[in-house]
Amino acid sequence: MLYYRGSRNEVNKDRFIIGRGKQSSDLTIKDPNVSRQHAMVECVNGQYFIVDMGSTNGIEYHGQRLQRKPIAHGDTFNICDHELRFLWE
């Protein structure tokens, strides 16, 4: 489960897109600093990863910019000023 601004978003597909584009994203973040297709939550063999899709401003985890990282329960990532928290239930 992905939490953003107090709302729950079920990650229910193998490629869950996060970005500014309404038509091209599963989770839309209304911010001009967020790329149209900024990041993706990808499921590979039951393991979820967060992946930067070539965005300008990137994804941060504990202040470090990253390209791809396995997601653990409770992980929090930042896309620009937006916090995304993952809780597996």
Side-chain angles (χ1 to χ4, degrees), residues 5-71:
R5 288 195 168 168
S7 63
R8 280 170 55 134
N9 299 274
E10 190 172 346
V11 179
N12 55 4
K13 52 204 309 193
D14 289 343
R15 292 172 54 95
F16 184 91
I17 307 297
I18 302 163
R20 190 182 74 233
K22 284 182 183 154
Q23 281 88 18
S24 58
S25 301
D26 298 299
L27 173 64
T28 303
I29 299 175
K30 294 175 187 162
D31 182 329
N33 295 312
V34 175
S35 298
R36 263 189 202 88
Q37 290 192 326
H38 197 103
M40 166 178 60
V41 177
E42 181 178 45
C43 184
V44 179
N45 298 324
Q47 170 70 61
Y48 288 90
F49 296 84
I50 191 157
V51 181
D52 188 333
M53 296 182 73
S55 68
T56 302
N57 293 312
I59 304 166
E60 286 191 0
Y61 179 74
H62 294 288
Q64 297 284 98
R65 193 162 170 166
L66 56 87
Q67 291 299 313
R68 179 182 174 92
K69 181 190 179 306
I71 303 170

Side-chain angles (χ1 to χ4, degrees), residues 1-3 41-42 46-50 61-62 66 68-77 84-89:
M1 198 63 61
L2 165 57
Y3 290 85
V41 177
E42 181 178 45
Q47 170 70 61
Y48 288 90
F49 296 84
I50 191 157
Y61 179 74
H62 294 288
L66 56 87
R68 179 182 174 92
K69 181 190 179 306
I71 303 170
H73 176 75
D75 275 351
T76 300
F77 298 91
L84 305 171
R85 183 174 171 91
F86 291 86
L87 298 172
W88 306 128
E89 300 170 355

